[in-house]
Amino acid sequence: MNTTPARTRLGSTGPETSALGLGLMGMSDLYGPADEAESIATVHAALDAGVTLMDTGDFYGMGHNELLLHDALRGRDRESVQISVKFGAQRGPDRSWLGYAADPAATKTALAYTLRRLRTDYIDVYRPARLDPNVPIEETVGAIAELVKAGYVRHIGLSEVGADTLRRAAAVHPISDLQIEYSLISRGIEAEILPTARELGIGVTAYGVLSRGLLSGHWQSDREIAATDFRGFSPRFQGENLTHNLSLVEALRAIAEAKGASVAQIAIAWVASRGSDIVPLVGARRRDRLAEALGSLDVQLTEGELAAIEAAVPAGSAAGDRYAAAQMAHLDSEH
C-alpha cells in the first residue's frame, strides 16, 4: 500500500506540499461537537503519514482552530509543515456571522493575531476566505503582498472567487492557489474558473471533496444533526434533496465495491484524478476517517471506471445548492 502522499507544488509559484491536505475546520466549528484530544491525535497521524498541508481559518471557533493547530504542532519541525490560513469572516461572541472585512488594516490586524495564536513567525499561504464586496481585490492582495515583502507571509492564496477576480488578483501579485469547493456533486469550477486558474498557473486546493460528509458513504438519512452543525441548514441535506443525493451515493457505492474501495476513497480519488494541479483537502476529525482518506492514494481510476463514475453521478445531478441562499449570494465564485 502507498499511503504516503506524493509531493507537489501549489500552482507555479506556491510552496511544495503534500498532494493531500488536512482541513481542520470541523475540529472546532460548524460540524457539531468534536473531541480535542482526538483532533490533535489526528493531526499527528496526518503528519506522521506525510500530510504536511494544514488548512485552518482564524474564524474557525473564533481562534480555537489556530490554537489547536499550535498545540498539535508543538515539538514538530515548523519548516516541514505548510500552514494555510483563511481570514476575513467577522463573528460575534454568540458565533453569529457579521460579514467580511478584508481591507488592508483588517488584513494586517488579522494576521497579527493569527501569528500570535499559532506562535509562528510566518504563514505559508494567507488568503481572504471570501471576496469582501466593499474592498477591491487589488487592495486586499496588495496588503498581503506587503506582508510577503516583510516576511510574515510566504505565499498569497484566494478562496471562492470567480475567474475575473483571479485575473485581477494575479495582476497585483502571484497567487499560489485557489481554495474552492470541488467534488463529484460540486463541479461549478470546471466551466470557467478552473481553466482560468490553469492559464494563470494557479493551483487548486479542493475542499468539500466529500461534500461535507454526504459523499462519505457513512451518512444516514435518519442521522440526528446537532444544533451547531451547519449541515442542518444546508439544502443538500434536507428532505427530498437528501433522499435524491443519497441515491447518487448508492450508485457510487456499487462502483466502489467493485473496485474494492470505500465510497469516500472513490470520491477523493476522483477529485485527485482531475489534474496534478489539484490538491484535495480532507476534513477528517478522527484517525479512522483519516486512515480511510489516506487509502484513496492507493485508488487509481481507469478510464472505464471514470466513465462509470460520470454515468452514476453526472455533473449537475445533485439536488440543492451547496450553501443556503444567503451564503450563496456572498460567493464571488457563483456569480
Side-chain angles (χ1 to χ4, degrees), residues 194-232:
L194 183 55
T196 300
R198 285 174 167 161
E199 174 192 334
L200 297 170
I202 297 171
V204 169
T205 39
Y207 76 87
V209 291
L210 297 181
S211 198
R212 307 183 184 281
L214 192 55
L215 289 177
S216 67
H218 304 298
W219 196 271
Q220 301 295 323
S221 59
D222 59 351
R223 174 171 168 169
E224 288 191 19
I225 302 178
T228 54
D229 191 329
F230 100 102
R231 289 172 293 192

Side-chain angles (χ1 to χ4, degrees), residues 6 80 84 87 91 99 179 181 200 202 204 214-215 225 293 297 324:
S80 69
S84 163
F87 73 93
R91 301 187 70 178
Q179 189 174 121
E181 186 166 355
L200 297 170
I202 297 171
V204 169
L214 192 55
L215 289 177
I225 302 178
L297 300 171

Side-chain angles (χ1 to χ4, degrees), residues 25-26 29-33 60 91 95 97 130 181 207-208 211-214 219 223-238 285 321-325 327-328 331:
M25 181 185 78
D29 211 356
L30 299 172
Y31 287 160
Y60 293 164
R91 301 187 70 178
R95 295 179 175 257
W97 298 90
R130 298 286 186 268
E181 186 166 355
Y207 76 87
S211 198
R212 307 183 184 281
L214 192 55
W219 196 271
R223 174 171 168 169
E224 288 191 19
I225 302 178
T228 54
D229 191 329
F230 100 102
R231 289 172 293 192
F233 308 97
S234 174
R236 290 183 174 172
F237 289 83
Q238 308 300 313
R285 298 192 288 174
D321 287 332
R322 55 195 184 102
Y323 288 102
Q327 292 169 292
M328 289 291 284
L331 295 177

Side-chain angles (χ1 to χ4, degrees), residues 218-264:
H218 304 298
W219 196 271
Q220 301 295 323
S221 59
D222 59 351
R223 174 171 168 169
E224 288 191 19
I225 302 178
T228 54
D229 191 329
F230 100 102
R231 289 172 293 192
F233 308 97
S234 174
R236 290 183 174 172
F237 289 83
Q238 308 300 313
E240 293 182 2
N241 286 354
L242 179 61
T243 301
H244 169 81
N245 293 333
L246 288 178
S247 72
L248 299 176
V249 175
E250 290 312 305
L252 200 59
R253 194 184 304 276
I255 297 169
E257 289 178 350
K259 183 72 170 175
S262 72
V263 175

Side-chain angles (χ1 to χ4, degrees), residues 10 77 114 136 148 176 183 216 233 296:
L10 295 184
D77 175 19
T114 279
V148 171
S176 66
S183 72
S216 67
F233 308 97
S296 70

